[in-house]
Amino acid sequence: MQPTDGSLHLGNYCGALRQWVSLQDELDALYFVADLHSLTVNPDPTLLRERSRRTAAQYLAAGVNPEQSILFVQSHVPQHAELGWLLQCQTGFGEASRMTQFKDKSAKRNAEGTTVGLFAYPMLMAADILLYDSALVPVGEDQRQHLELTRDLAVRLNARFGDGTVVVPEAHIVKGGAKIQDLQNPSAKMSKSSAGGKGCVWLLEDPKKAVKAIKSAVTDADPAYTVRFDPENKPGISNLLTIFSAFTDRDVDSIAAEYDGRGYGYLKVDCAEAVTAWLQPFQERAAVYLDDPVQLDAILADGAARARAWAAPVLARVYDRFGLLPVTNAGA
Ligand code: AMP
């Protein structure tokens, strides 16, 4: 995730972070704070530093275990940018122009506001993946096209430079990866920009605000107060059920059965309680890391050292296949 805000939101947690925590039990996982990616929106340097720490603290508070997984900040592993350049040199201009995220984002900015970095973003993401010989990439729908580009590039590299140049990764569609909608506009994805921010729950904000946002969630005018999981016809109720389920590990149908016909207020109050029961200890754990940046930085430094040790031989192999002249000790 990019360190573009002071806090992650409920969608980031339910859609990604929560799954990362369970994946580390089964797999050798690497998680990073995508600070190089965030440079495409030209962040304020002081805010960026602080937000990188806040993002890492939230990974840890959510349960990413730095002993089990490798947790680091992207810019601490220079091989990401180095491999990114090689991949840019293998990507067609037309191919990169077809990326829908680039088209959407560049359409919102004028030509001056659209940087070459924004254009090259998917190649940096491909480097993030290929640098570790990654087999599986946990992705949401929004990143599918970028992962397809990564796979195309991997196949291309192996065809041009020989089998085994890089590992072709697979998408890992994570079970239970929930898409969370905006509480004020349940037909749109929860994000910082939608509905003036009122439909978004921030993980590090005062839990009272989360309660207020959930209690004032837009539902529907069904006089029977039917509660069922039906995103098409009952998007607001379905969203509350998804959130409630994520924080209680109960399935949506059993929650729906319990609240059906009782008035939406009951569902909202209990959903808000489930979220805040998780938020409070989460915030306390995050505060421990944020109050001790020396300890946090040490965790990140250790993760970066382990990531560099993993990345270096992979990058050396790719450099060699590309025909780049190796450094020798002959002149030393
Ligand atoms: P973003 O904040 O859009 O860069 O997304 C960071 C991660 O959070 C990605 O894995 C997204 O798929 C996930 N994510 C963002 N918003 C939501 C949402 N509303 N529901 C589910 N997952 C989300």
Side-chain angles (χ1 to χ4, degrees), residues 9-275:
H9 58 67
L10 216 60
N12 297 137
Y13 176 69
C14 297
L17 193 47
R18 187 164 168 264
Q19 283 70 35
W20 296 359
V21 173
S22 49
L23 282 176
Q24 58 186 357
D25 292 332
E26 308 155 32
L27 301 164
D28 293 324
L30 295 109
Y31 299 119
F32 64 87
V33 176
D35 61 343
L36 292 177
H37 282 283
S38 78
L39 296 183
T40 55
V41 294
N42 206 8
D44 174 277
T46 311
L47 284 180
L48 175 60
R49 240 185 302 278
E50 188 203 319
R51 289 174 173 180
S52 293
R53 286 201 182 102
R54 288 174 80 89
T55 305
Q58 289 172 91
Y59 288 5
L60 289 161
V64 169
N65 178 348
E67 315 255 304
Q68 229 179 340
S69 302
I70 298 185
L71 169 65
F72 62 101
V73 173
Q74 187 185 22
S75 63
H76 293 178
V77 183
Q79 288 91 345
H80 286 251
E82 293 174 79
L83 182 59
W85 171 249
L86 269 61
L87 296 176
Q88 285 177 51
C89 295
Q90 294 295 318
T91 309
F93 190 85
E95 190 176 30
S97 308
R98 285 193 292 277
M99 295 294 118
T100 52
Q101 258 192 29
F102 173 73
K103 287 199 275 191
D104 291 348
K105 289 187 178 170
S106 59
K108 286 188 194 137
R109 306 170 192 186
N110 55 26
E112 284 308 305
T114 301
T115 61
V116 175
L118 188 68
F119 189 61
Y121 180 109
M123 285 71 97
L124 181 59
M125 182 174 152
D128 299 336
I129 296 166
L130 301 181
L131 191 54
Y132 299 97
D133 283 343
S134 311
L136 299 171
V137 189
V139 282
E141 270 311 310
D142 52 348
Q143 292 299 332
R144 244 178 196 286
Q145 195 187 26
H146 290 163
L147 185 65
E148 275 314 308
L149 176 72
T150 304
R151 287 168 49 81
D152 289 348
L153 282 169
V155 169
R156 188 172 308 158
L157 258 57
N158 287 341
R160 284 189 187 160
F161 301 103
D163 277 345
T165 302
V166 287
V167 171
V168 183
E170 302 283 342
H172 184 73
I173 304 298
V174 192
K175 281 192 282 259
K179 189 170 165 204
I180 305 299
Q181 303 295 97
D182 188 286
L183 292 165
Q184 285 299 308
N185 175 14
S187 55
K189 191 172 125 171
M190 182 179 284
S191 77
K192 60 179 165 178
S193 45
S194 49
K198 281 201 195 124
C200 182
V201 172
W202 297 101
L203 302 186
L204 291 181
E205 78 182 352
D206 183 347
K208 285 195 199 103
K209 287 195 179 164
V211 172
K212 197 168 165 208
I214 294 170
K215 282 192 184 166
S216 46
V218 168
T219 51
D220 53 56
D222 176 356
Y225 297 117
T226 310
V227 175
R228 67 166 189 273
F229 188 73
D230 178 358
E232 184 122 333
N233 299 305
K234 296 183 88 63
I237 290 298
S238 303
N239 195 34
L240 289 171
L241 288 172
T242 305
I243 295 170
F244 203 159
S245 159
F247 286 95
T248 52
D249 282 327
R250 290 176 58 188
D251 67 276
V252 286
D253 292 335
S254 87
I255 302 172
E258 185 181 335
Y259 291 90
D260 189 31
R262 283 177 56 197
Y264 295 154
Y266 293 99
L267 173 67
K268 287 181 175 179
V269 167
D270 290 355
C271 176
E273 202 179 292
V275 172

